Amino acid sequence: MTDESDEFETGASDAEETARPDADSRAAADEAAGDATAADAEPETSAAATAESTGAESTDAAGGDSGPDAEDAVPEDVQKYARFKKVDGAQYDRVNDFLRERTYVTAREWAIARLCADFRTETGVEMTKIGNNLPELVPFMTDTYTPQAVNQARSAFRDKVRKSGATFLYGAMSGFFTAEELDEMMYEVTEIAKFLLEVEGVDLSVEEELEAEERISSVMREVREASTDLRKEELSDEE
């Protein structure tokens, strides 16, 4: 797979980082514009973030500890968290631009969605822990988040994946693409997905990559064939 890690090497200055607008107001503006704007900057979280979402899940048992020692202490599982090490030192803008050119999600949504999957317990997602320790967990995130801001980013990620999936599947089922074009498209998007997994710390062998590509291509061929048969049946019924 092509090494695209140099895309993350440089980015915005520290002054630009601190000048960015509020997390939730910027995220809301992105959603209202249909994500048609350029890459959104890494946001700061403030008290206003609590107005954005009321359904955040929080299972951080230490939430009741308000003493300075409890606030300063970094949980052991946070210290051991080893994802995103391949982008250590990268600036948010550089990562965000890379994602915006290839996907519909922002760096903020990508990182937080990954953390929500990794810090899930039997009773829910540890959103308070994620938000309080975001800079320690993700190298290119420089601010802490409220649980509501974490929940908002996760919800935005899910919505975009759902819409992107529906768009892609419709394109695959509609007959707009030949089998060869679908294979080429699947190869390109699979390469991007694998690269993001590797940035997260997943180590894929060549055999695993080839097996994954073949399984995905096989499924897409079946989808195309089934949708072709379905369209033919509908046409014959109309006649």
Side-chain angles (χ1 to χ4, degrees), residues 194 198 202-212:
K194 287 190 300 185
E198 289 178 357
V202 177
D203 188 16
L204 295 173
S205 67
V206 175
E207 292 77 13
E208 289 172 330
E209 288 188 12
L210 293 174
E211 181 183 357

Side-chain angles (χ1 to χ4, degrees), residues 165-178 182 185 220 224 227 231:
T167 304
F168 174 77
L169 192 57
Y170 169 70
M173 296 176 65
S174 62
F176 295 153
F177 303 97
T178 65
L182 275 178
M185 186 185 304
M220 292 312 303
R224 187 177 183 279
S227 60
R231 291 196 307 275

